[in-house]
Amino acid sequence: MNTQLHTRLAEVDARIAEAVRAAGRAPESVTRIVVTKFHPAQLVRDLYELGVRDVGENRQQELTQKRADVAATDLRWHAIGQVQTNKARAVRASADVVHCVDRVRLANSLHAAATDESTLDVLVQLNLTDDPARGGVHLGELDQLVEHVLTLSSLNLRGLMAVAPLPEEEAAASAFDRLARAAERVRAIAPEANWLSAGMSHDFVEAVNVGATHLRIGSAITGPRPQQG
Ligand SMILES: *Cc1c(COP(=O)(O)O)cnc(C)c1O
């Protein structure tokens, strides 16, 4: 067994538990997703043996391939990276949750890719920066996108997702405050869409403090990522 992995996972989980306790929140209100992008499928198997049941990938091909390789039926795969519209069908086939719905066309394509009566859990991604390349809908178009997703019967809108700006752009805590207010707006439109996906290796404590329900943690648990292929 991979003891370093075990140690880092336990350390991160202890820090999450402490942050959740300090925030006066219930332990079960937070799901820790381990981001396994660029790592081999074996790492996912090792994590599975350590009890991890939620993993995140940011590229469709890697997601599709690893899901097939690992083949564990009770592992939930979270698609967390920008999705090209022409990859929507493949993403729908491999992801249990899609965190990065940031435009009407992508929502429509994910909906059109439904092959049976099942619904796909999705989150709308908010861009907390002014840079369109980051992915995510800008705040001014958030309500419209939320309302559109709600019209698509094969999508189950669960909430809001965001990536904090880089530290030199803005402190995570203040960006997360804006995110928390946006999440309130989403809940005002769709009360059941109460997931908030935020928080990475360096800012998950701040994310817990603003009410994140899904933390996407990579390197703090997996160690440094191999070079992007
Ligand atoms: C890579 C990635 C993460 C995890 O990043 P770490 O800093 O390694 O924890 C979280 N969210 C998204 C969208 C990512 O692409």
Side-chain angles (χ1 to χ4, degrees):
M1 182 34 73
N2 188 331
T3 52
Q4 266 200 334
L5 186 66
H6 190 181
T7 305
R8 285 191 299 253
L9 179 67
E11 279 169 7
V12 167
D13 281 352
R15 289 170 59 204
I16 295 170
E18 170 56 22
V20 167
R21 194 200 56 74
R25 299 181 52 195
E28 62 277 10
S29 68
V30 175
T31 300
R32 176 258 295 122
I33 299 163
V34 183
V35 177
T36 50
K37 64 187 184 199
F38 312 157
H39 288 282
Q42 186 56 45
L43 181 89
V44 180
R45 292 189 201 100
D46 290 348
L47 287 163
Y48 185 86
E49 277 190 38
L50 295 170
V52 169
R53 291 295 178 269
D54 290 274
V55 292
E57 288 288 335
N58 74 335
R59 294 192 299 191
Q60 174 270 321
Q61 275 184 316
E62 206 178 330
L63 167 68
T64 301
Q65 184 66 50
K66 267 187 223 172
R67 184 178 188 127
D69 286 352
V70 176
T73 51
D74 60 343
L75 198 53
R76 281 175 298 274
W77 293 85
H78 298 255
I80 62 169
Q82 289 182 51
V83 177
Q84 291 169 266
T85 306
N86 64 2
K87 300 282 176 62
R89 189 165 299 275
V91 166
R92 178 153 194 151
S94 296
D96 298 291
V97 186
V98 176
H99 289 234
C100 36
V101 175
D102 60 359
R103 58 199 188 278
V104 163
R105 275 189 66 212
L106 177 58
N108 288 346
S109 298
L110 287 168
H111 173 62
T115 54
D116 56 25
E117 297 299 299
S118 66
T119 57
L120 175 68
D121 284 338
V122 299
L123 295 94
V124 164
Q125 182 178 353
L126 179 68
N127 189 343
L128 291 170
T129 75
D130 296 327
D131 177 1
R134 294 292 175 79
V137 66
H138 285 285
L139 191 60
E141 284 124 50
L142 176 65
D143 295 11
Q144 214 185 340
L145 180 58
V146 164
E147 276 159 14
H148 184 78
V149 171
L150 292 171
T151 67
L152 302 174
S153 57
S154 80
L155 302 185
N156 185 14
L157 180 67
R158 303 309 301 252
L160 192 63
M161 177 272 210
V163 177
L166 299 173
E168 57 272 26
E169 295 173 315
E170 186 183 4
S174 72
F176 282 162
D177 278 340
R178 291 189 283 123
L179 177 62
R181 285 197 298 277
E184 270 173 42
R185 262 169 71 171
V186 172
R187 286 196 300 273
I189 301 169
E192 64 288 357
N194 58 6
W195 291 8
L196 181 56
S197 167
M200 306 175 25
S201 289
H202 61 284
D203 57 16
F204 66 82
V205 172
E206 287 96 326
V208 166
N209 286 338
V210 298
T213 61
H214 291 70
L215 312 175
R216 307 178 310 266
I217 305 178
S219 47
I221 294 171
T222 63
R225 276 184 280 278
Q227 284 307 330
Q228 179 165 357

